[in-house]
Amino acid sequence: MSTSISPSTQYSASNFVVSAGCVLFRKREGALELCIIHDRKRDQWVLPKGRKDCGESTAEAAVRETFEETGYRCELLPCRMATRAPRPGVNTLDRVEVIDNITEPFSVVIWQQGEQGVKLVWWFIGRATSDDKVLGTQAAWEEYDSHFVEAEEACTRLKYQSEMDTAREAIQIVRDGNMGGL
């Protein structure tokens, strides 16, 4: 038996959790705004995300969790972005291509959780489909207040560096050619 030329780590299903979320945007009076949530229990600002349910795709989980945690109905925003995923039906070498109008994850964060293993968070870019906030969408244990904030200001409020970096990357993707989709 030979070993791979690339280092790898394997986790059984009991040692990883798949989560997904959206960096949720809207455009208001020409300004780009991002939705962040204030976790009242921990007194910290975070991006909306949560665990994927069995049988659910990561994209479906991102939209559902974003709605549940923010109260804003949303959809994935088709964007122009660099990706290593091939175009549908095209068999190419593994390389980076810039593709228009895709709703692929633009980032993944891997959080080491000690004995529990890892948490994989797949990040998508979303847009609010309504300015109307729906109340009562959170789980019983969640105590979140969601707020749309000017995009750059929202980044400065986020608690975790990985979420700041994620939000800034999403802002750049949106500003580089997707403002018309908002």
Side-chain angles (χ1 to χ4, degrees), residues 105-181:
F106 73 94
S107 180
V108 62
V109 174
I110 303 170
W111 287 352
Q112 301 296 326
Q113 296 188 303
E115 290 180 15
Q116 289 183 305
V118 296
K119 180 177 187 174
L120 306 163
V121 184
W122 295 93
W123 288 106
F124 293 82
I125 297 175
R127 65 176 158 211
T129 57
S130 171
D131 285 336
D132 299 326
K133 185 189 281 192
V134 178
L135 301 177
T137 58
Q138 296 173 15
W141 64 86
E142 295 173 325
E143 294 181 22
Y144 302 141
D145 296 317
S146 60
H147 301 275
F148 273 99
V149 178
E150 186 280 322
E152 295 298 332
E153 168 65 21
C155 291
T156 67
R157 292 188 193 182
L158 292 169
K159 164 84 174 168
Y160 302 107
Q161 185 67 47
S162 66
E163 291 196 3
M164 283 185 234
D165 295 343
T166 297
R168 286 193 171 106
E169 184 178 353
I171 291 166
Q172 193 62 50
I173 290 169
V174 169
R175 287 195 170 140
D176 282 351
N178 298 288
M179 292 289 284

Side-chain angles (χ1 to χ4, degrees), residues 4 14 47 93 102-103 114 125 159-160:
S4 172
S14 62
L47 294 172
L93 295 175
I102 59 173
T103 56
I125 297 175
K159 164 84 174 168
Y160 302 107

Side-chain angles (χ1 to χ4, degrees), residues 6-165:
S6 302
S8 60
T9 304
Q10 180 176 345
Y11 296 96
S12 298
S14 62
N15 289 73
F16 70 86
V17 63
V18 176
S19 294
C22 286
V23 179
L24 182 62
F25 290 98
R26 76 176 179 192
K27 200 170 174 186
R28 165 114 356 133
E29 298 175 8
L32 184 63
E33 295 181 333
L34 193 146
C35 190
I36 55 177
I37 55 179
H38 181 247
D39 181 338
R40 294 190 308 268
K41 284 187 207 175
R42 295 182 182 97
D43 190 27
Q44 61 190 25
W45 293 90
V46 295
L47 294 172
K49 66 192 162 305
R51 291 177 295 166
K52 179 185 95 57
D53 292 344
C54 289
E56 184 178 43
S57 73
T58 53
E60 292 166 336
V63 170
R64 177 185 53 77
E65 283 289 346
T66 300
F67 171 63
E68 288 175 1
E69 292 190 352
T70 67
Y72 288 101
R73 295 192 190 283
C74 62
E75 63 187 10
L76 298 182
L77 177 64
C79 293
R80 179 176 209 264
M81 71 175 88
T83 182
R84 287 174 52 184
R87 297 172 195 268
V90 177
N91 190 4
T92 62
L93 295 175
D94 182 358
R95 66 174 185 240
V96 176
E97 286 189 69
V98 176
I99 301 177
D100 290 322
N101 297 315
I102 59 173
T103 56
E104 295 296 311
F106 73 94
S107 180
V108 62
V109 174
I110 303 170
W111 287 352
Q112 301 296 326
Q113 296 188 303
E115 290 180 15
Q116 289 183 305
V118 296
K119 180 177 187 174
L120 306 163
V121 184
W122 295 93
W123 288 106
F124 293 82
I125 297 175
R127 65 176 158 211
T129 57
S130 171
D131 285 336
D132 299 326
K133 185 189 281 192
V134 178
L135 301 177
T137 58
Q138 296 173 15
W141 64 86
E142 295 173 325
E143 294 181 22
Y144 302 141
D145 296 317
S146 60
H147 301 275
F148 273 99
V149 178
E150 186 280 322
E152 295 298 332
E153 168 65 21
C155 291
T156 67
R157 292 188 193 182
L158 292 169
K159 164 84 174 168
Y160 302 107
Q161 185 67 47
S162 66
E163 291 196 3
M164 283 185 234
D165 295 343

